[in-house]
């Protein structure tokens, strides 16, 4: 057996310590890289867009002229879209989560459902667009309406909502459930009156984050053929509409340089929309988080 | 809550007697699981829906275009007036170019960030940096696309003369930035789950922090790190808006990254936002491209799944 050679260890010590310090700095700057990019991105978009963020910008519809282009139809359209996506994806997502966590026994069918959900979360959004185009727009002939887009988006964010709701439901401790059963409650009573109320903050937090992803998604909307220049506000769920990311996509593509500023202004509105949603999510989490 | 509901009734016994008289309570207990199973099956139906539509519409496409021409053709000219050419290889080449550049950007920076956050950073630093990285992951891809087109491309044009407005480099770099937080956070999770005792053992043997990180933690967390990279590749392959805005629409089968390209996703977007009539071969071609894309990402997700499941080290 070889003993440690004291001398050679001491000799190499300095170099090893320096290498350690050098790499620590390198790793730190690599981490900083992402943060710097983020700062540049926000700075660029704010300076480009802030000048166009006038009251008229919120009042005007889309236009071929950059000075007259506004975001009204897109903003209202995105809110309508949320109005469909939120309830549909919540009902489907929470229902699935309750089933998987509370009712599903360990068998092949339920394993298949679980595996399927994790696979679904890896499917590119543009493929969901193709699904929406075929099933909702063509087969069910909903056209490029709010309903068709809403269903497509709901399916897209469904896996995220399911996983979030599963975690929230799982974090409700077993003894609370057992106490409820001990009081003579049935399974469904336990779920609706004990488990869900304490899981709701977690479910909502996850759902709002998933929804904010749906607000920013563009690809499925393009694929199902959502138009861009719309001169009217939607009247019902079967109306044609446009949404914030669609509008931004269209403005970014236009050759006139001025439209870049309009696009940046649109991005600022979209980011504010997302910021508000995220703040609500954080608020819910902080306010209602119960620890057992 | 429960107490409020009790007021107005004289006793709990009465209440129990009253409620157990109701037959529908038993019905509910039986019906609810069935309803929930139906709801849960929507996600399965979605997958079937995706696979079914892709197969059916691609089938129609292949009744018009030979499958060998599609798989091995090196020219993609769907909008030609005389002879349309549907060889998928140029679109795959475009996709792979962007993905490769993205990985070259995201892997070193992502893993370095993960090492820094899990091995070097103090708790406070981590608490500040991690949420900021999450912000980066939450930015809509359309915003990244705009950033690539209006900031990264002009910047690169100053460095590389002759770089086209639409190229593979700029969207590649930006896709890399987009997937960076994913690699960083998943790899950090993998490294953090390496138990402290192993680190302390190495430190007690006289290792520096770098040696602990590179020779102990990194190998132990390798399966998780590789899985995160594979998932990121899958995300990069499926990314749509960045490449649609900044990549261009010229599918070419070569290795050039400074020219305009087209990826599979960008082609689907180009055709959908244009006016390819329903029922034309171009219309069905988006399904064949979507099917190819689906298979690529499915394969990647499957590989990531197998790696993280099979080679996970248990402590």
């Amino acid at each position: 057996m070889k003993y440690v050679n004291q001398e050679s260890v001491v000799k190499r010590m300095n170099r090893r310590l320096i290498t350690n310090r050098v790499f620590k700095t390198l790793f730190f700057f690599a981490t900083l890289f992402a943060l710097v990019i983020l700062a540049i991105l926000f700075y660029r978009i704010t300076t480009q867009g802030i000048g166009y963020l006038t009251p008229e910008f919120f009042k005007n519809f889309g236009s071929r002229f950059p000075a007259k282009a506004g975001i009204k139809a897109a903003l209202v359209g995105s809110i309508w879209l949320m109005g469909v996506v939120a309830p549909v994806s919540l009902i489907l997502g929470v229902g699935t989560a309750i089933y998987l966590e509370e009712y599903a026994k360990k068998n092949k069918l339920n394993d298949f459902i679980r595996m399927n959900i994790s696979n679904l979360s890896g499917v590119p959004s543009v493929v969901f667009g193709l699904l929406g185009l075929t099933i909702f727009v063509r087969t069910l002939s909903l056209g490029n309406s709010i309903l068709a887009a809403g269903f497509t988006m709901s399916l897209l964010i469904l896996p995220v909502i399911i996983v979030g709701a599963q975690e929230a439901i799982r974090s409700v401790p077993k003894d609370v459930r057992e106490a409820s059963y001990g009081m003579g409650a049935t399974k469904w009573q336990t779920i609706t009156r004990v488990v869900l109320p304490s899981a709701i903050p977690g479910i909502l937090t996850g759902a709002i984050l998933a929804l904010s992803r749906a607000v920013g998604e563009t690809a499925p909307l393009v694929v199902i053929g959502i138009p861009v220049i719309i001169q009217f506000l939607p009247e019902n769920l079967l109306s044609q509409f446009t949404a914030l990311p669609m509008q931004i996509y269209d403005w970014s593509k236009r050759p006139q340089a001025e439209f870049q500023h309009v696009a940046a202004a649109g991005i600022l509105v979209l980011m504010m929309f997302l910021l508000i949603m995220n703040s609500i999510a954080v608020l819910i989490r902080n306010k209602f988080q119960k620890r057992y | 809550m429960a107490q409020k509901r009790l007021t107005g009734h004289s006793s709990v016994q009465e209440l129990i007697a009253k409620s157990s008289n109701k037959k529908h309570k038993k019905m509910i207990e039986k019906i609810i699981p069935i309803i929930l199973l139906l709801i849960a099956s929507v996600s399965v139906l979605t997958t079937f829906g995706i696979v079914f539509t892709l197969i059916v519409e691609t089938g129609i496409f292949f009744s018009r275009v030979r499958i060998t021409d599609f798989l091995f053709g090196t020219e993609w000219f769907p909008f030609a007036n005389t002879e349309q050419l549907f060889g998928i290889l140029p679109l795959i080449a475009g996709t792979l170019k962007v993905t490769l550049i993205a990985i070259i950007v995201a892997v070193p920076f992502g893993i370095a960030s993960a090492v820094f956050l899990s091995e070097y950073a103090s708790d406070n630093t981590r608490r500040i940096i991690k949420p900021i990285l999450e912000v980066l992951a939450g930015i809509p891809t359309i915003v990244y696309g705009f950033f690539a087109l209006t900031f990264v491309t002009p910047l690169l044009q100053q460095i590389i003369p002759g770089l086209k407005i639409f190229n593979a480099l700029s969207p590649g770099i930006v896709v890399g930035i987009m997937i960076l937080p994913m690699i960083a956070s998943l790899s950090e999770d993998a490294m953090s789950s390496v138990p402290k005792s192993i680190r302390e053992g190495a430190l007690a043997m006289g290792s520096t922090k770098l040696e602990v990180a590179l020779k102990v933690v990194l190998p132990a967390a390798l399966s998780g790190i590789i899985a995160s990279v594979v998932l990121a590749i899958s995300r990069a392959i499926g990314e749509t808006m960045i490449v649609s805005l900044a990549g261009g629409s010229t599918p070419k089968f070569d290795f050039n990254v400074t020219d305009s390209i087209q990826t599979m996703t960008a082609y689907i977007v180009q055709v959908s936002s244009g006016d390819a009539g329903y029922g034309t071969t171009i219309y069905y071609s988006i399904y064949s491209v979507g099917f190819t894309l689906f298979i690529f990402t499915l394969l990647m997700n499957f590989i990531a799944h197998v790696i993280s499941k099979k080679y996970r080290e248990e402590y």
Side-chain angles (χ1 to χ4, degrees), chain B residues 147-202:
Chain B
F147 185 65
L149 190 65
T150 62
F151 179 71
V152 179
T153 303
L155 193 73
L156 288 173
Q157 277 176 326
Q158 289 183 351
I159 303 167
I160 309 166
L163 186 73
K164 303 271 167 52
I165 295 174
F166 298 114
N167 57 73
L169 210 52
S170 166
I173 291 170
V174 176
V175 171
I177 294 166
M178 182 198 88
I179 59 175
L180 195 161
M182 186 181 179
I183 295 185
S185 116
L186 289 179
S187 299
E188 205 246 345
D189 287 347
M191 288 183 204
S192 303
S193 68
V194 175
K196 240 185 172 165
S197 55
I198 295 185
R199 274 191 200 92
E200 278 160 4

Side-chain angles (χ1 to χ4, degrees), chain A residues 23-45:
Chain A
F23 270 87
K24 182 184 174 177
T25 324
L26 275 180
F27 291 149
F28 175 69
F29 278 108
T31 314
L32 218 56
F33 170 74
L35 307 187
V36 169
I37 299 268
L38 189 67
I40 294 174
L41 196 150
F42 276 126
Y43 174 76
R44 284 275 307 184
I45 285 165

Side-chain angles (χ1 to χ4, degrees), chain B residues 35-291:
Chain B
I35 294 174
L36 289 176
L37 176 61
L38 288 179
I39 289 177
S41 58
V42 169
S43 69
V44 178
L45 282 179
T46 307
T47 307
F48 281 138
I50 289 173
V51 174
F52 184 72
T53 49
L54 288 178
I55 287 179
V56 168
E57 308 285 45
T58 305
I60 299 173
F61 176 76
F62 282 136
S63 70
R64 302 184 189 180
V65 175
R66 261 209 311 243
I67 191 161
T68 46
D69 290 350
F70 177 76
L71 288 178
F72 305 111
T74 55
E75 305 239 29
W76 184 266
F77 270 126
F79 299 106
N81 285 326
T82 49
E83 197 197 356
Q84 295 174 313
L85 290 169
F86 292 100
I88 187 89
L89 290 179
L91 292 181
I92 292 180
T95 305
L96 292 186
K97 277 185 230 174
V98 168
T99 306
L100 195 69
I101 296 164
I103 287 303
I104 290 172
V105 172
V107 166
F109 281 103
I111 293 179
S113 311
V115 172
F116 178 75
L117 287 176
S118 94
E119 304 302 314
Y120 287 100
S122 67
D123 278 350
N124 273 333
T125 321
R126 196 175 319 142
R127 225 170 283 147
I128 296 166
I129 292 181
K130 268 199 113 173
I132 302 181
L133 281 179
E134 276 167 27
V135 173
L136 211 53
I139 291 177
T141 53
I142 182 79
V143 179
Y144 277 122
F146 179 78
F147 185 65
L149 190 65
T150 62
F151 179 71
V152 179
T153 303
L155 193 73
L156 288 173
Q157 277 176 326
Q158 289 183 351
I159 303 167
I160 309 166
L163 186 73
K164 303 271 167 52
I165 295 174
F166 298 114
N167 57 73
L169 210 52
S170 166
I173 291 170
V174 176
V175 171
I177 294 166
M178 182 198 88
I179 59 175
L180 195 161
M182 186 181 179
I183 295 185
S185 116
L186 289 179
S187 299
E188 205 246 345
D189 287 347
M191 288 183 204
S192 303
S193 68
V194 175
K196 240 185 172 165
S197 55
I198 295 185
R199 274 191 200 92
E200 278 160 4
L203 284 171
M205 299 285 283
S207 311
T208 62
K209 273 206 163 177
L210 179 70
E211 287 158 355
V212 174
L214 295 188
K215 293 180 185 167
V216 178
V217 178
L218 220 55
L222 199 62
S223 67
I225 294 170
I226 293 175
S228 82
V229 172
V230 179
L231 273 184
I233 293 175
S234 163
R235 184 70 65 81
I237 291 174
E239 203 296 314
T240 310
M241 295 326 288
I242 303 175
V243 290
S244 296
L245 270 178
S249 50
T250 325
K252 274 192 207 116
F253 186 58
D254 58 20
F255 299 104
N256 193 342
V257 293
T258 57
D259 256 355
S260 172
I261 55 152
Q262 188 165 47
T263 64
M264 293 188 269
T265 50
Y267 173 72
I268 297 174
V269 163
Q270 185 199 2
V271 172
S272 332
S273 57
D275 41 18
Y278 177 63
T280 58
T281 311
I282 293 178
Y283 174 80
Y284 289 113
S285 74
I286 60 175
Y287 290 94
S288 67
V289 173
F291 199 14

Side-chain angles (χ1 to χ4, degrees), chain A residues 192-249:
Chain A
T192 49
R193 296 183 196 170
V194 177
V195 177
L196 278 186
S198 54
I200 271 178
I203 293 174
L204 280 184
T205 312
I208 292 173
L209 292 181
L211 272 182
S212 66
R213 206 189 132 196
V215 175
E217 271 292 348
T218 323
L221 296 181
V222 183
V223 176
I224 60 180
I226 299 305
V228 181
I229 295 193
I230 290 259
Q231 303 291 349
F232 52 87
L233 294 181
E235 280 168 1
N236 56 49
L237 291 178
L238 290 172
S239 298
Q240 278 205 330
F241 78 111
T242 193
L244 286 174
M246 275 308 290
Q247 192 74 72
I248 295 165
Y249 174 56

